[in-house]
Amino acid sequence: MIVLIPSYEPDQRLPQLVADLGGASPVVIVDDGSGPDYAAIFAECERRGATVLRHQVNRGKGAALKTGFAYLAQVFPGEPVVCADSDGQHSPVDILRVAAALDDSGPDMVLGARLFTGRVPLRSKVGNGITRQLFALATRRKLIDTQTGLRAYPARLIPWLLEVPGDRFEYELQLLLRATAEDQDIREVEIATIYLDENASSHFRPLHDSALIYRQLISFVGSSLLAFVLDTSVLFAGVALTGNVTGSAIAARVVSGGSNYAVNRWWVFRNGSAKAPLLPSLLRYAALAATILVANILLLHALLAATGSLLVAKVVTEGTLFAASFLIQRAVVYSCKKRAGSLHDDRIGASFRESVDASADLTAK
């Protein structure tokens, strides 16, 4: 088991963590462009036995993790990895417990889950609570801690880890979204909730980084609102012109669905630079749209009869179907549904080469 620690502008807690691990596992640290002011800290980590990889400029936590994954795949092939933060939030005991859980049960990933009890900074408690609820809404999967940086992965998952898009804090949430979409086995192990000095050493920027973390959820909401405006406009116009609710609902869904498919394929569910194949994803989207259309019409008629208001019936109908649409689009329409263990050797090699090429400014000591 290798311990991988991405680090940006650390303090003395980082070399202390290396010392506390006491050689139980090889430690690889990625200095994510901390600069010369922090060279002494990383040098001390090296003296205590860690390998330090260096980015010349700050590229983000996701990029640092990918640099570490690519290095491990080449230098320690076949070895599982446990990722930990460098700011004192993860104790050596918890790091080793999470690593042991991966060895014992063989899941696709193990998360060190904090219960957020005791003295927890308000921004951390609120932020984690919101993310946990949004994640459960989007995936129908409840996890205790969606923002934990303490995670263990088997060696077979490293090619997959290199393929998931994201360079900064959003990368770790993208991993969980992709993992749940592909029905991977995610386990959680309770760890201590540790916040030192009100988490002052954290480089997480609440507004900017939360926007990155929630990007897919927020963009899906934006795409859905656009479709809702088109759908509602066409529906009202159709009813006003023809008096036919069913025909107008069908016409509205065709117009809004076409725009929604295009926006989701090009923007919302785009996997880095790659888009879902046009014909397969279009056919899946059409099947989903047809299913939702039937549900939409049935609910619309029922609610219109119950409330007497077309607007109220429309809003309630769309709200009811929103979560189901997101889940199915992300998990089925725009996902290849491939498991990490089934990747071919040529794709594994390509993943490693692409990651190493992207880390051309990396130096290892």
Side-chain angles (χ1 to χ4, degrees):
M1 177 70 69
I2 312 300
V3 179
L4 174 60
I5 305 175
S7 183
Y8 177 61
E9 297 183 352
D11 56 25
Q12 285 297 324
R13 284 175 283 198
L14 179 57
Q16 185 61 51
L17 176 60
V18 175
D20 290 342
L21 287 170
S25 296
V27 177
V28 175
I29 298 171
V30 180
D31 169 12
D32 188 26
S34 300
D37 290 344
Y38 297 86
I41 291 178
F42 290 108
E44 185 176 351
C45 292
E46 290 177 312
R47 287 194 296 271
R48 297 189 178 194
T51 297
V52 178
L53 313 177
R54 292 178 170 85
H55 288 168
Q56 296 304 312
V57 296
N58 177 254
R59 292 168 50 194
K61 187 178 183 181
L65 286 169
K66 290 177 184 178
T67 291
F69 292 144
Y71 175 82
L72 298 182
Q74 294 180 357
V75 179
F76 299 99
E79 284 288 331
V81 56
V82 57
C83 302
D85 292 339
S86 64
D87 56 4
Q89 289 196 34
H90 303 140
S91 70
V93 172
D94 283 336
I95 292 172
L96 296 178
R97 285 181 63 242
V98 169
L102 180 68
D103 292 340
D104 292 343
S105 56
D108 292 302
M109 66 178 70
V110 176
L111 308 179
R114 300 161 293 178
L115 299 184
F116 301 102
T117 57
R119 298 185 60 183
V120 179
L122 182 61
R123 68 167 185 169
S124 298
K125 181 174 290 189
V126 172
N128 279 278
I130 292 173
T131 304
R132 183 169 60 251
Q133 295 302 322
L134 287 174
F135 184 87
L137 176 65
T139 64
R140 300 293 176 90
R141 177 90 178 256
K142 290 185 177 181
L143 294 176
I144 298 171
D145 188 357
T146 58
Q147 293 186 358
T148 179
L150 180 51
R151 308 179 180 200
Y153 308 100
R156 68 176 183 276
L157 213 68
I158 288 181
W160 179 86
L161 292 166
L162 290 168
E163 291 181 348
V164 175
D167 287 335
R168 296 192 177 274
F169 284 105
E170 82 281 6
Y171 172 69
E172 290 179 311
L173 185 60
Q174 289 284 2
L175 288 178
L176 294 182
L177 290 170
R178 283 280 296 272
T180 53
E182 297 174 13
D183 196 29
Q184 292 188 18
D185 182 8
I186 304 174
R187 309 283 178 85
E188 291 186 283
V189 173
E190 182 182 340
I191 63 172
T193 304
I194 302 173
Y195 285 102
L196 302 175
D197 302 324
E198 291 294 303
N199 206 24
S201 63
S202 174
H203 297 285
F204 184 84
R205 298 161 293 178
L207 294 178
H208 181 272
D209 293 318
S210 292
L212 290 175
I213 288 174
Y214 303 142
R215 187 202 68 81
Q216 190 176 69
L217 295 172
I218 293 171
S219 58
F220 182 76
V221 171
S223 172
S224 298
L225 286 175
L226 175 62
F228 174 76
V229 170
L230 288 173
D231 196 75
T232 303
S233 299
V234 175
L235 174 66
F236 273 77
V239 172
L241 291 173
T242 68
N244 187 328
V245 174
T246 299
S248 299
I250 293 173
R253 188 46 54 98
V254 169
V255 172
S256 63
S259 66
N260 186 249
Y261 167 79
V263 171
N264 287 351
R265 179 172 178 263
W266 278 88
W267 180 41
V268 178
F269 297 104
R270 187 166 179 155
N271 184 1
S273 61
K275 301 183 295 294
L278 178 60
L279 184 57
S281 63
L282 182 59
L283 291 175
R284 291 192 292 264
Y285 184 90
L288 172 63
T291 302
I292 290 182
L293 175 60
V294 173
N296 186 289
I297 292 171
L298 294 175
L299 278 174
L300 192 62
H301 275 290
L303 291 171
L304 181 58
T307 66
S309 169
L310 182 60
L311 179 59
V312 171
K314 182 64 177 173
V315 171
V316 175
T317 295
E318 295 300 331
T320 301
L321 297 176
F322 175 82
S325 178
F326 177 84
L327 285 168
I328 297 171
Q329 286 188 56
R330 184 176 57 80
V332 179
V333 175
Y334 301 101
S335 174
C336 64
K337 299 287 284 184
K338 287 187 177 180
R339 299 282 296 201
S342 66
L343 297 174
H344 296 294
D345 290 342
D346 56 346
R347 284 191 65 192
I348 294 175
S351 295
F352 293 164
R353 288 193 296 274
E354 289 170 3
S355 181
V356 172
D357 290 344
S359 303
D361 59 353
L362 170 69
T363 59
K365 291 186 180 181

